[in-house]
Amino acid sequence: MKSSHLPRYLFLTGLLVLTTAACDGDDPADLSTTTSVISGGTSSGDASTTSTVSAGEGSAPSTTLVGQTVDSYEIVARESDSAGETIYVVVPPGDYTDVDMENFVLDLVESGTATFGAEVFDDGAAVEAYRKPEAERTPEETESIGLHHFVSLQNGTTLVFRGPFESSGEMVIGS
């Protein structure tokens, strides 16, 4: 071997060693993203649809968004006053997201089921507690409301996220 080739040989050997070391990790990163396909309307059967996409090395950490479409509900009470009617709705317990709740209430509005107000819960006892004057509620009832009250429709135009979705704030419909 010529001495002029020695630096190139050493460089290529070093590069090969570094490449092998970089690719020979015992902890390969398992990066994946799971998302939920959210559709409107009511349906029967499995309403949850998810897909997983694997990401290459060096990508962002995995993100999981799990949700489901509200496939049934029950209007358990109605209150009318001069401003309009408020309905109290109970949905089955599920792995809902704030987007699922938004879509559900928008469907109620579009169908004409909710025209002024709606209060959405996943527990009938929490609805009963919510309808009591605050001064008459027990601490347990107040806690139940915080866990099971998901969203309110106010004045037919504003969604206010409650309980587990409170961090989503509020939004004006159509904006």
Side-chain angles (χ1 to χ4, degrees):
M1 179 182 310
K2 292 184 182 177
S3 63
S4 64
H5 294 291
L6 185 60
R8 182 182 298 165
Y9 176 76
L10 291 174
F11 171 76
L12 291 175
T13 303
L15 184 61
L16 180 62
V17 169
L18 287 174
T19 304
T20 304
C23 294
D24 195 27
D26 291 329
D27 291 317
D30 180 23
L31 300 175
S32 65
T33 302
T34 302
T35 58
S36 177
V37 177
I38 301 169
S39 61
T42 59
S43 63
S44 61
D46 183 14
S48 178
T49 305
T50 59
S51 62
T52 301
V53 179
S54 294
E57 190 171 330
S59 299
S62 66
T63 302
T64 302
L65 171 64
V66 178
Q68 68 185 68
T69 302
V70 177
D71 60 357
S72 65
Y73 64 95
E74 180 182 1
I75 297 173
V76 295
R78 295 175 183 268
E79 286 181 0
S80 294
D81 62 22
S82 60
E85 179 182 62
T86 299
I87 59 173
Y88 294 86
V89 180
V90 176
V91 298
D95 292 322
Y96 305 115
T97 66
D98 57 345
V99 174
D100 298 330
M101 288 295 104
E102 176 186 338
N103 288 336
F104 173 67
V105 174
L106 291 176
D107 285 347
L108 290 176
V109 170
E110 287 176 12
S111 70
T113 303
T115 57
F116 177 73
E119 303 293 339
V120 180
F121 296 80
D122 74 344
D123 181 73
V127 174
E128 290 178 32
Y130 182 78
R131 296 186 66 209
K132 287 183 181 181
E134 283 187 58
E136 295 178 18
R137 294 180 193 155
T138 66
E140 293 80 15
E141 288 173 326
T142 301
E143 182 180 353
S144 177
I145 292 167
L147 295 171
H148 301 285
H149 190 190
F150 293 159
V151 66
S152 299
L153 171 66
Q154 298 176 342
N155 301 317
T157 60
T158 306
L159 290 178
V160 179
F161 294 94
R162 309 279 186 187
F165 307 113
E166 188 172 13
S167 65
S168 296
E170 62 181 64
M171 66 173 276
V172 175
I173 294 175
S175 64

